[in-house]
């Protein structure tokens, strides 16, 4: 049926309004950091959604949680990852005027350039076959760590960006390739921060203490669960000030710097674990979860 031009105008305006609304509500995908290295944590954000999406970064599934503007997922890049383009795919369910769709992109991963160093520690930490009592203690530690890292996936309990657990020089960054006593080789999955014995160590963000334990290799240890599959670890403490199950806030005292466990001297080993991978804590500090400026990064030791 023919519609007169003047009568057709409201229908045209309605159609244009719907198109504009659809364009305005179209979901947007963003990645942090924009360029990453193997071992980095990665924050995937999808804005403009009311329904939970699903997706992958490379071959790793993403676990999304709600935010004020949409949904986020936190994951990491394996340290052995080959540099190149890592694809990201997010499936968006239907919502309102938006039909189901797939958002795609890629993350540029560059070479890490891990440094290497040789360290000397007590011989008991490098023997191939520890004494039975030491082996039993190590097995008990392993079970305790596994239980601590087996928390149910929940949305983040923090409302701020992450901050340094203490401000001082970094003496060993994440990723160091290490040789102990000229024989045993390993990679450093944390950030070592200089500190005299007894100096304070603070929580990098709000969370729940899931382990406070004297472990054989890591010494006096505190693990904090922050939600979103994210944990921070504080090793080699001379003393701890928190208990299992205790809720802590960003900047709350956790313990004091020490030289317990397998160490060459007093310092804080600060670790970050996400999605069952140890990742670079320095990169975590640069991620913007809330729109606030990220904390300043401590300058590394140049020795």
């Amino acid at each position: 049926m023919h519609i007169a031009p003047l009568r057709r105008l409201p229908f045209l305006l309605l159609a244009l309004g719907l198109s504009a609304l659809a364009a305005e509500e179209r979901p947007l995908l963003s990645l942090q950091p924009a360029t990453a290295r193997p071992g980095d944590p990665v924050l995937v954000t999808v804005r403009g959604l009311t329904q939970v999406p699903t997706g992958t970064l490379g071959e790793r599934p993403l676990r999304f949680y709600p935010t004020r503007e949409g949904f986020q997922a936190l994951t990491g890049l394996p340290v052995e990852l080959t540099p190149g383009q890592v694809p990201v795919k997010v499936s968006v369910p239907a919502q309102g005027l938006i039909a189901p769709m797939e958002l795609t992109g890629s993350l540029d991963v560059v070479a890490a350039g891990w440094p290497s160093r040789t360290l000397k520690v007590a011989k008991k930490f490098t023997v191939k076959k520890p004494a039975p009592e030491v082996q039993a203690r190590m097995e008990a530690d392993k079970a305790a760590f596994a239980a601590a890292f087996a928390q149910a996936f929940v949305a983040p309990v923090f409302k701020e960006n992450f901050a340094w657990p203490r401000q001082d020089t970094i003496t060993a960054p994440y990723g160091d390739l290490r040789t102990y006593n000229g024989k045993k080789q390993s990679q450093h999955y944390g950030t070592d921060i200089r500190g005299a014995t007894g100096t304070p160590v603070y929580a990098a963000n709000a969370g729940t203490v899931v382990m406070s334990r004297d472990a054989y290799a890591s010494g006096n240890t505190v693990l904090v669960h922050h939600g979103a599959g994210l944990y921070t670890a504080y090793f080699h403490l001379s003393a701890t000030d928190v208990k299992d199950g205790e809720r802590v806030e960003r900047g709350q005292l956790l313990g004091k710097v020490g030289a317990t466990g397998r160490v060459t001297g007093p310092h804080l080993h600060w670790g970050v674990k996400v999605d069952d991978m140890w990742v670079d804590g320095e990169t975590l500090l640069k991620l913007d979860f809330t729109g606030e400026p990220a904390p300043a990064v401590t300058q590394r030791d140049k020795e």
Side-chain angles (χ1 to χ4, degrees):
M1 181 175 63
H2 177 70
I3 299 177
L6 290 179
R7 296 179 59 190
R8 187 186 306 150
L9 184 58
F11 293 93
L12 293 175
L13 292 176
L14 176 61
L16 290 173
L18 292 176
S19 298
L21 180 61
E24 183 179 350
E25 291 183 349
R26 183 178 178 84
L28 299 175
L29 172 66
S30 63
L31 302 175
Q32 293 184 63
T35 300
R37 302 186 308 169
D40 274 348
V42 179
L43 181 62
V44 181
T45 301
V46 184
R47 293 178 173 84
L49 285 187
T50 58
Q51 303 295 322
V52 182
T54 59
T56 56
L57 178 68
E59 297 180 354
R60 299 190 71 85
L62 298 172
R63 294 186 290 180
F64 285 94
Y65 54 85
T67 68
R68 289 179 299 177
E69 298 180 342
F71 293 87
Q72 288 180 334
L74 186 63
T75 187
L77 300 175
V79 293
E80 65 273 10
L81 183 67
T82 301
Q85 297 292 316
V86 177
V88 57
K89 298 180 181 179
V90 176
S91 296
V92 175
Q95 58 170 35
L97 301 175
I98 305 298
M101 67 174 65
E102 185 174 76
L103 304 177
T104 60
S106 62
L107 179 64
D108 185 21
V109 179
V110 299
W114 309 121
S116 61
R117 66 182 67 206
T118 299
L119 302 173
K120 288 187 178 181
V121 297
K123 291 183 179 179
K124 66 179 181 178
F125 291 112
T126 59
V127 295
K128 292 184 178 180
K129 190 175 182 180
E133 62 273 16
V134 173
Q135 185 65 38
R137 185 180 176 190
M138 293 171 67
E139 290 297 326
D141 290 342
K142 183 178 179 181
F145 272 93
F149 287 134
Q151 305 302 310
F153 183 85
V154 295
V157 299
F158 54 89
K159 299 182 183 301
E160 303 174 90
N161 289 326
F162 280 75
W164 285 102
R166 56 174 285 100
Q167 288 286 346
D168 211 320
T169 304
I170 294 177
T171 55
Y174 174 93
D176 261 5
L177 298 170
R178 297 179 162 191
T179 301
Y180 291 99
N181 297 353
K183 297 179 180 179
K184 188 173 182 178
Q185 294 183 332
S186 68
Q187 192 160 18
H188 190 228
Y189 294 126
T191 302
D192 285 352
I193 305 172
R194 178 177 291 165
T197 298
T199 51
V201 173
Y202 304 102
N205 217 332
T208 301
V209 176
V210 290
M211 191 174 87
S212 180
R213 178 185 180 87
D214 178 12
Y216 181 71
S218 57
N220 290 323
T221 299
V222 172
L223 301 181
V224 178
H225 178 221
H226 302 282
L230 174 63
Y231 303 80
T232 52
Y234 310 79
F235 291 178
H236 310 308
L237 303 175
S238 60
T240 57
D241 288 72
V242 290
K243 301 177 181 179
D244 287 2
E246 184 175 342
R247 172 65 185 264
V248 296
E249 301 300 327
R250 188 176 85 156
Q252 182 174 332
L253 182 68
L254 296 180
K256 298 176 177 63
V257 172
T260 57
R262 186 175 70 179
V263 293
T264 58
H267 70 280
L268 170 66
H269 171 103
W270 181 51
V272 175
K273 196 169 193 179
V274 61
D275 209 8
D276 206 31
M277 286 183 292
W278 291 107
V279 296
D280 192 345
E282 288 190 72
T283 303
L284 177 70
L285 293 174
K286 300 173 185 178
L287 299 183
D288 182 9
F289 292 89
T290 66
E292 298 177 1
V297 176
T298 304
Q299 186 175 357
R300 292 179 181 173
D301 188 4
K302 296 181 179 179
E303 296 178 1

